[in-house]
Amino acid sequence: MRPGRYFLWMGGTMVALAVLAVLLGVLVDPYRMFGTPGLPGWTTLKPRIYERPGIAKIYQLERIAPRTVLLGNSRVEIGFDPASPEWPADTRPIFNAAMAGQGLFTALLMLREAIATGKLKTAVVGIDFLDFLQIGYSDNFALPPVGAEERRLLVGRDGGLNPARSLQLWRDRLASTLTIDAATDSVETLLDQDPETTTTMTPLGFNPLHEYRLFIARSGYYGLFAQKNATYVREYRRFKPPDFSHPLRIVNYRYLLMITRLAKAHGIQLILFTPPYHADYLEMLNQVGLWASFEAWQRTLADVVDAAKQGGVQVTLFDFSIYDRFTTEPVPPRHDLTSRMRWYWESAHYKSALGDKMLKRFFHGDKSLGYELTKANVDAVLARTRSQRAQYIGRINAEGTRQPLAVPDSDRVN
Amino acid sequence: MLFNSHEFLFGFLPITILGFTLLERVGSRGKYLFLLLASIVFYAWWDVRFVPLLVGSFTVNYVGGHAVHASRSRGSKKHTWWLVTVFVGLNLVLLGIFKYAHFFTQNVDLLLGTDFNLGTIILPLGISFFTFEQISFLVDVGAGRTRPRELLHYALFVSFFPRLVAGPILRYEEIVPQMANERRREDTNVDLATGLTIFFIGLFKKAVLADGIAPYASPVFDAAARGGHVDFLLAWGGVLAYACQLYFDFSGYSDMAIGAARCFGIRFPTNFFSPYKSTSVIEFWQRWHMTLSRFLRDYLYIALGGNRHGSVRRYINLMVTMLLGGLWHGANWTFIAWGGLHGLYLMINHGWIALAERHAALRCFRASRIGMTCGFMLTFIAVVVAWAFFRAATFAAAFNLVEGMAGQHGIVIPIGLEFALEPVRGVLDAVGVRFAEGSGTILVKTYLWIMALLAIALCLPSTQELMIRAKPVIETTGGSTGLTLEGCRWLQWSRSRIWAIVMGGMAFTGLISITHVSEFLYWQF
């Protein structure tokens, strides 16, 4: 074959493959870049969506244009299903914009994006102790440099149209079609559509955590709690107790303040809450010597929120980090692979069933779970939590119930 | 500018090929000047401050080559070698300053308790490669094996962009005469088709295979460096993954260099010839980084006396050559240890051959299929163990890994695999396997990648064998190493429709695999 024809065939193959890759990426839409409707059994579940969560969350948020947005980290992403019937009709549509591993700065960005879509009325924000352990102090506060997530947003920091968005949009379109990752993720999406175990994110941004089902079937809840607890103990031992005496030196309090100001400026109702950690997790905080810091954090949080309220922000703070019948749900014993936990996946992640209960607290005044936390009642709430803890410890000691946290590493599931 | 960057693939390379080809079509002699300027732009893209170094280096050495040649023409042997020594010394001083000054002062500080501070010294791109090439030029001129020709051709020989980053280490006499040849238009098209095919095979190796397995190697070496005990499966997984990464990275780079050069009608020597198929360490060095082996043999080992002064001196020369070869790869004791390990391997290999020559039974065993298989396995394991020292940042990390590979840190399996391993649970318990947290996905993927890549490395022909019909490399290559380049009987490329489609697929996959800048491992040497 003459070289010219060889090039023609070679080039033609490349063009044909490029067209195929674009079609595959758009039709399968593994990251929900294009909002292509899912084909049941083929593309509804998105097992590779967490490879590019920023793309999935931001562009999907724009398509939904929610009245209510959920913000926070994985606990919120896993814990609240926007499709739940517990959401009042006037809060819909709801979008879960929480992102695993992200803190309050990302929450601030997502709030900005949700406001830019034009219909937002309410923001439900999970405030996590972990955020205040990981990120330090600053006397010269400055926002971090603009990253890919922020370049995607409709509006810039000055409130005007974001000039970086169109280039980022094209980058994301390319990344979702003409890359080897997009191609393999599309194929994997087509091949992995098991409604029981496939990792996915619903179109409303909720992570149903299907993948844990497989692990639980193999190792039971005990195995999952044991493994995660060990990880948390190791991780949290590294943290030094933070100093909450000057909250505004703490970067995350700055972000929280910016969230409240943004909400006030746009007439958004803010619902803030501390997560309902499982008692194992709370015990872990005790074990690594962070309980006093945890209480100090809650006090400061109540102070900051009260100040915001007095400044005209429509904000309520709920505390679910307590010992109650939900958070002390017993973990099935070792080797029990059949019992199911109702409220928890593992000690730091609650199920959406518990999220539904929290919605009743937020919107229907059901006081069977958690407390509204204010500067006035914070000490009383904390004292009650300490007392609940003493009762809990007394009960499990009397019953001889061993939680996975108490199991030494060498005796873990194997 | 890296070969696997968008600016190179969609900007620099097409523009340079187009410019060169147009100048060639109009019969302009300026085509090599254009190529030289393009090569300097390529170099400046990395750091414009070092362009004077490159230009100064080839100018001084060109002048040096002429001085040596003039002296030799006058018949003054002593003066000739004095000149060669001076100019070679200048090259080595330059290399020493940029590459080894920090290493030297660090060790002096350690020994004498001093505190020399040389500040930051940036290693100029490709200095290890163009220094060796110019040393070989000076020595060859001194020995009468070549003579200096046009400055333009010499400058291009030193700065030619396809080999500027990481070799191959060329010889003046094998490249410059090719520049005197005028190509016919048909040859230009054939060269382009062949060159781009080889280039895209290399891109596929680098972007898809080497970069694909890289994430499974680095975390293990990082964990070893942090001091965490790396268990048997993890250690072997990490080091084997690195062995595959390095293989496809360097093999891919060599293909891209050979392919890019061919687009301009220049053939390079073979640099990489399926080294993991070797049945001895001697053979490994005839197949791995062949142009470096050739340089070390011809300009160091033989210069030290080679095997001309008895077997003891031969072994000493061998060890010195390999230690310096290790040091050439990087200013770190781990590289010297790697070179020393290979020196030791080579000594054992030569000793074994000498022993086998004296005993008929051993000779038969060595030539038998079983002997070859044992040789292959032993060579592969020895080479892989040595890579632990090559890649590890410190001796502590390297020994940590080697201990793990020897099973001294036990065998740990992620708990996520427990379910799948239930049928063999008794055996695992009996050999002391422990289960620990983790899903096992990464471990499984690591070994799947390793199996796939080793299958390619061991079962498929090399690019040069695949492309044999297109005469991809300088034809004499291989003769001096004892290896001959033969085409694969069952898989040979030709300019056919099916190969165009296959190569189009590989090129496309390579191009869409470039999602981030990923340096070639040999870039740092």
mmCIF file of all heavy atoms in Angstrom, chain A residues 56-83:
data_model
loop_
_atom_site.group_PDB
_atom_site.id
_atom_site.type_symbol
_atom_site.label_atom_id
_atom_site.label_comp_id
_atom_site.label_asym_id
_atom_site.label_seq_id
_atom_site.Cartn_x
_atom_site.Cartn_y
_atom_site.Cartn_z
ATOM 1 N N ALA A 56 -20.017 15.719 38.195
ATOM 2 C CA ALA A 56 -21.344 15.158 38.449
ATOM 3 C C ALA A 56 -22.197 16.122 39.269
ATOM 4 O O ALA A 56 -23.342 16.406 38.924
ATOM 5 C CB ALA A 56 -21.200 13.820 39.172
ATOM 6 N N LYS A 57 -21.635 16.632 40.332
ATOM 7 C CA LYS A 57 -22.438 17.425 41.259
ATOM 8 C C LYS A 57 -22.786 18.798 40.678
ATOM 9 O O LYS A 57 -23.925 19.241 40.760
ATOM 10 C CB LYS A 57 -21.685 17.608 42.578
ATOM 11 C CG LYS A 57 -21.535 16.334 43.402
ATOM 12 C CD LYS A 57 -22.777 16.023 44.206
ATOM 13 C CE LYS A 57 -22.602 14.734 44.979
ATOM 14 N NZ LYS A 57 -23.653 14.450 45.925
ATOM 15 N N ILE A 58 -21.796 19.471 40.108
ATOM 16 C CA ILE A 58 -22.038 20.863 39.709
ATOM 17 C C ILE A 58 -22.989 20.956 38.517
ATOM 18 O O ILE A 58 -23.982 21.685 38.548
ATOM 19 C CB ILE A 58 -20.703 21.579 39.431
ATOM 20 C CG1 ILE A 58 -19.946 21.723 40.753
ATOM 21 C CG2 ILE A 58 -20.940 22.947 38.781
ATOM 22 C CD1 ILE A 58 -18.535 22.206 40.633
ATOM 23 N N TYR A 59 -22.727 20.159 37.470
ATOM 24 C CA TYR A 59 -23.587 20.285 36.285
ATOM 25 C C TYR A 59 -24.986 19.723 36.543
ATOM 26 O O TYR A 59 -25.969 20.215 36.000
ATOM 27 C CB TYR A 59 -22.922 19.621 35.071
ATOM 28 C CG TYR A 59 -21.607 20.297 34.713
ATOM 29 C CD1 TYR A 59 -20.435 19.574 34.534
ATOM 30 C CD2 TYR A 59 -21.528 21.684 34.580
ATOM 31 C CE1 TYR A 59 -19.235 20.196 34.226
ATOM 32 C CE2 TYR A 59 -20.336 22.320 34.280
ATOM 33 C CZ TYR A 59 -19.191 21.568 34.101
ATOM 34 O OH TYR A 59 -18.003 22.195 33.808
ATOM 35 N N GLN A 60 -25.057 18.702 37.390
ATOM 36 C CA GLN A 60 -26.368 18.139 37.709
ATOM 37 C C GLN A 60 -27.164 19.122 38.586
ATOM 38 O O GLN A 60 -28.371 19.268 38.417
ATOM 39 C CB GLN A 60 -26.179 16.786 38.419
ATOM 40 C CG GLN A 60 -27.423 15.927 38.497
ATOM 41 C CD GLN A 60 -27.977 15.472 37.140
ATOM 42 O OE1 GLN A 60 -27.362 15.669 36.107
ATOM 43 N NE2 GLN A 60 -29.165 14.911 37.164
ATOM 44 N N LEU A 61 -26.461 19.787 39.470
ATOM 45 C CA LEU A 61 -27.110 20.813 40.314
ATOM 46 C C LEU A 61 -27.751 21.899 39.439
ATOM 47 O O LEU A 61 -28.883 22.328 39.673
ATOM 48 C CB LEU A 61 -26.061 21.429 41.251
ATOM 49 C CG LEU A 61 -26.437 22.691 42.033
ATOM 50 C CD1 LEU A 61 -27.528 22.402 43.044
ATOM 51 C CD2 LEU A 61 -25.234 23.273 42.752
ATOM 52 N N GLU A 62 -27.017 22.286 38.391
ATOM 53 C CA GLU A 62 -27.559 23.320 37.488
ATOM 54 C C GLU A 62 -28.814 22.825 36.778
ATOM 55 O O GLU A 62 -29.771 23.574 36.590
ATOM 56 C CB GLU A 62 -26.497 23.694 36.450
ATOM 57 C CG GLU A 62 -25.371 24.490 37.050
ATOM 58 C CD GLU A 62 -24.208 24.660 36.089
ATOM 59 O OE1 GLU A 62 -24.378 24.412 34.876
ATOM 60 O OE2 GLU A 62 -23.121 25.032 36.554
ATOM 61 N N ARG A 63 -28.805 21.546 36.389
ATOM 62 C CA ARG A 63 -29.982 21.006 35.671
ATOM 63 C C ARG A 63 -31.191 20.926 36.592
ATOM 64 O O ARG A 63 -32.312 21.180 36.177
ATOM 65 C CB ARG A 63 -29.657 19.605 35.152
ATOM 66 C CG ARG A 63 -28.807 19.632 33.918
ATOM 67 C CD ARG A 63 -28.542 18.232 33.384
ATOM 68 N NE ARG A 63 -27.261 18.251 32.727
ATOM 69 C CZ ARG A 63 -26.146 17.718 33.186
ATOM 70 N NH1 ARG A 63 -26.161 17.039 34.308
ATOM 71 N NH2 ARG A 63 -25.020 17.844 32.530
ATOM 72 N N ILE A 64 -30.950 20.567 37.856
ATOM 73 C CA ILE A 64 -32.075 20.393 38.794
ATOM 74 C C ILE A 64 -32.610 21.764 39.233
ATOM 75 O O ILE A 64 -33.800 21.926 39.445
ATOM 76 C CB ILE A 64 -31.625 19.578 40.039
ATOM 77 C CG1 ILE A 64 -31.080 18.197 39.613
ATOM 78 C CG2 ILE A 64 -32.743 19.442 41.066
ATOM 79 C CD1 ILE A 64 -32.086 17.246 39.049
ATOM 80 N N ALA A 65 -31.724 22.751 39.369
ATOM 81 C CA ALA A 65 -32.089 24.082 39.893
ATOM 82 C C ALA A 65 -32.959 23.935 41.143
ATOM 83 O O ALA A 65 -34.161 24.244 41.134
ATOM 84 C CB ALA A 65 -32.803 24.900 38.831
ATOM 85 N N PRO A 66 -32.371 23.440 42.249
ATOM 86 C CA PRO A 66 -33.182 23.036 43.408
ATOM 87 C C PRO A 66 -33.710 24.202 44.242
ATOM 88 O O PRO A 66 -33.150 25.291 44.228
ATOM 89 C CB PRO A 66 -32.182 22.227 44.230
ATOM 90 C CG PRO A 66 -30.861 22.843 43.917
ATOM 91 C CD PRO A 66 -30.941 23.290 42.492
ATOM 92 N N ARG A 67 -34.765 23.891 44.987
ATOM 93 C CA ARG A 67 -35.241 24.826 46.009
ATOM 94 C C ARG A 67 -34.492 24.574 47.307
ATOM 95 O O ARG A 67 -34.346 25.482 48.122
ATOM 96 C CB ARG A 67 -36.729 24.595 46.253
ATOM 97 C CG ARG A 67 -37.598 25.486 45.430
ATOM 98 C CD ARG A 67 -38.972 25.498 46.036
ATOM 99 N NE ARG A 67 -39.911 26.030 45.087
ATOM 100 C CZ ARG A 67 -41.200 25.804 45.132
ATOM 101 N NH1 ARG A 67 -41.691 25.029 46.068
ATOM 102 N NH2 ARG A 67 -42.003 26.333 44.257
ATOM 103 N N THR A 68 -34.096 23.297 47.486
ATOM 104 C CA THR A 68 -33.350 22.953 48.698
ATOM 105 C C THR A 68 -32.065 22.247 48.298
ATOM 106 O O THR A 68 -32.082 21.374 47.429
ATOM 107 C CB THR A 68 -34.184 22.003 49.588
ATOM 108 O OG1 THR A 68 -35.428 22.623 49.842
ATOM 109 C CG2 THR A 68 -33.476 21.671 50.886
ATOM 110 N N VAL A 69 -30.995 22.644 48.942
ATOM 111 C CA VAL A 69 -29.720 21.996 48.639
ATOM 112 C C VAL A 69 -29.126 21.447 49.931
ATOM 113 O O VAL A 69 -29.253 22.056 50.996
ATOM 114 C CB VAL A 69 -28.745 22.982 47.937
ATOM 115 C CG1 VAL A 69 -28.283 24.091 48.865
ATOM 116 C CG2 VAL A 69 -27.545 22.265 47.351
ATOM 117 N N LEU A 70 -28.528 20.242 49.801
ATOM 118 C CA LEU A 70 -27.842 19.619 50.941
ATOM 119 C C LEU A 70 -26.352 19.825 50.756
ATOM 120 O O LEU A 70 -25.816 19.570 49.662
ATOM 121 C CB LEU A 70 -28.157 18.124 50.975
ATOM 122 C CG LEU A 70 -29.566 17.767 51.421
ATOM 123 C CD1 LEU A 70 -30.039 16.486 50.757
ATOM 124 C CD2 LEU A 70 -29.587 17.603 52.945
ATOM 125 N N LEU A 71 -25.674 20.272 51.797
ATOM 126 C CA LEU A 71 -24.241 20.544 51.697
ATOM 127 C C LEU A 71 -23.493 19.855 52.823
ATOM 128 O O LEU A 71 -24.026 19.696 53.921
ATOM 129 C CB LEU A 71 -23.994 22.061 51.775
ATOM 130 C CG LEU A 71 -24.730 22.919 50.747
ATOM 131 C CD1 LEU A 71 -24.617 24.398 51.104
ATOM 132 C CD2 LEU A 71 -24.177 22.679 49.352
ATOM 133 N N GLY A 72 -22.263 19.466 52.548
ATOM 134 C CA GLY A 72 -21.463 18.822 53.584
ATOM 135 C C GLY A 72 -20.541 17.786 52.976
ATOM 136 O O GLY A 72 -20.189 17.872 51.789
ATOM 137 N N ASN A 73 -20.178 16.799 53.787
ATOM 138 C CA ASN A 73 -19.266 15.768 53.294
ATOM 139 C C ASN A 73 -20.017 14.456 53.067
ATOM 140 O O ASN A 73 -21.238 14.443 52.908
ATOM 141 C CB ASN A 73 -18.078 15.617 54.241
ATOM 142 C CG ASN A 73 -18.514 15.257 55.652
ATOM 143 O OD1 ASN A 73 -19.658 14.815 55.865
ATOM 144 N ND2 ASN A 73 -17.636 15.444 56.612
ATOM 145 N N SER A 74 -19.285 13.340 53.087
ATOM 146 C CA SER A 74 -19.894 12.049 52.743
ATOM 147 C C SER A 74 -21.053 11.690 53.671
ATOM 148 O O SER A 74 -21.981 10.988 53.268
ATOM 149 C CB SER A 74 -18.840 10.950 52.796
ATOM 150 O OG SER A 74 -18.265 10.882 54.082
ATOM 151 N N ARG A 75 -20.994 12.157 54.920
ATOM 152 C CA ARG A 75 -22.087 11.804 55.846
ATOM 153 C C ARG A 75 -23.417 12.359 55.333
ATOM 154 O O ARG A 75 -24.457 11.702 55.423
ATOM 155 C CB ARG A 75 -21.782 12.353 57.237
ATOM 156 C CG ARG A 75 -20.548 11.715 57.841
ATOM 157 C CD ARG A 75 -20.279 12.205 59.243
ATOM 158 N NE ARG A 75 -18.922 12.717 59.400
ATOM 159 C CZ ARG A 75 -17.823 12.010 59.304
ATOM 160 N NH1 ARG A 75 -17.883 10.720 59.032
ATOM 161 N NH2 ARG A 75 -16.631 12.552 59.462
ATOM 162 N N VAL A 76 -23.381 13.551 54.780
ATOM 163 C CA VAL A 76 -24.607 14.151 54.228
ATOM 164 C C VAL A 76 -24.946 13.485 52.892
ATOM 165 O O VAL A 76 -26.107 13.170 52.609
ATOM 166 C CB VAL A 76 -24.415 15.673 54.048
ATOM 167 C CG1 VAL A 76 -25.674 16.310 53.489
ATOM 168 C CG2 VAL A 76 -24.039 16.321 55.367
ATOM 169 N N GLU A 77 -23.926 13.237 52.093
ATOM 170 C CA GLU A 77 -24.153 12.653 50.766
ATOM 171 C C GLU A 77 -24.814 11.274 50.870
ATOM 172 O O GLU A 77 -25.675 10.914 50.072
ATOM 173 C CB GLU A 77 -22.809 12.537 50.027
ATOM 174 C CG GLU A 77 -22.963 12.119 48.584
ATOM 175 C CD GLU A 77 -21.634 12.046 47.852
ATOM 176 O OE1 GLU A 77 -20.620 11.748 48.499
ATOM 177 O OE2 GLU A 77 -21.624 12.278 46.637
ATOM 178 N N ILE A 78 -24.422 10.527 51.916
ATOM 179 C CA ILE A 78 -24.939 9.173 52.106
ATOM 180 C C ILE A 78 -26.212 9.189 52.960
ATOM 181 O O ILE A 78 -27.059 8.308 52.846
ATOM 182 C CB ILE A 78 -23.830 8.320 52.778
ATOM 183 C CG1 ILE A 78 -22.687 8.082 51.793
ATOM 184 C CG2 ILE A 78 -24.374 6.999 53.307
ATOM 185 C CD1 ILE A 78 -21.401 7.625 52.452
ATOM 186 N N GLY A 79 -26.332 10.208 53.795
ATOM 187 C CA GLY A 79 -27.384 10.195 54.810
ATOM 188 C C GLY A 79 -28.714 10.805 54.399
ATOM 189 O O GLY A 79 -29.714 10.621 55.102
ATOM 190 N N PHE A 80 -28.763 11.529 53.300
ATOM 191 C CA PHE A 80 -30.025 12.182 52.929
ATOM 192 C C PHE A 80 -30.388 11.899 51.475
ATOM 193 O O PHE A 80 -29.629 12.256 50.565
ATOM 194 C CB PHE A 80 -29.919 13.705 53.119
ATOM 195 C CG PHE A 80 -29.859 14.114 54.550
ATOM 196 C CD1 PHE A 80 -28.626 14.243 55.196
ATOM 197 C CD2 PHE A 80 -31.018 14.341 55.283
ATOM 198 C CE1 PHE A 80 -28.555 14.607 56.520
ATOM 199 C CE2 PHE A 80 -30.956 14.708 56.614
ATOM 200 C CZ PHE A 80 -29.720 14.833 57.247
ATOM 201 N N ASP A 81 -31.542 11.287 51.306
ATOM 202 C CA ASP A 81 -32.023 11.011 49.963
ATOM 203 C C ASP A 81 -33.021 12.100 49.561
ATOM 204 O O ASP A 81 -34.096 12.209 50.155
ATOM 205 C CB ASP A 81 -32.697 9.631 49.952
ATOM 206 C CG ASP A 81 -33.124 9.242 48.549
ATOM 207 O OD1 ASP A 81 -32.962 10.064 47.629
ATOM 208 O OD2 ASP A 81 -33.597 8.109 48.375
ATOM 209 N N PRO A 82 -32.688 12.898 48.545
ATOM 210 C CA PRO A 82 -33.615 13.963 48.136
ATOM 211 C C PRO A 82 -34.953 13.423 47.644
ATOM 212 O O PRO A 82 -35.927 14.170 47.558
ATOM 213 C CB PRO A 82 -32.869 14.658 46.989
ATOM 214 C CG PRO A 82 -31.440 14.341 47.222
ATOM 215 C CD PRO A 82 -31.417 12.963 47.796
ATOM 216 N N ALA A 83 -35.009 12.123 47.329
ATOM 217 C CA ALA A 83 -36.274 11.536 46.855
ATOM 218 C C ALA A 83 -37.137 11.050 48.011
ATOM 219 O O ALA A 83 -38.229 10.524 47.788
ATOM 220 C CB ALA A 83 -35.970 10.382 45.907
#
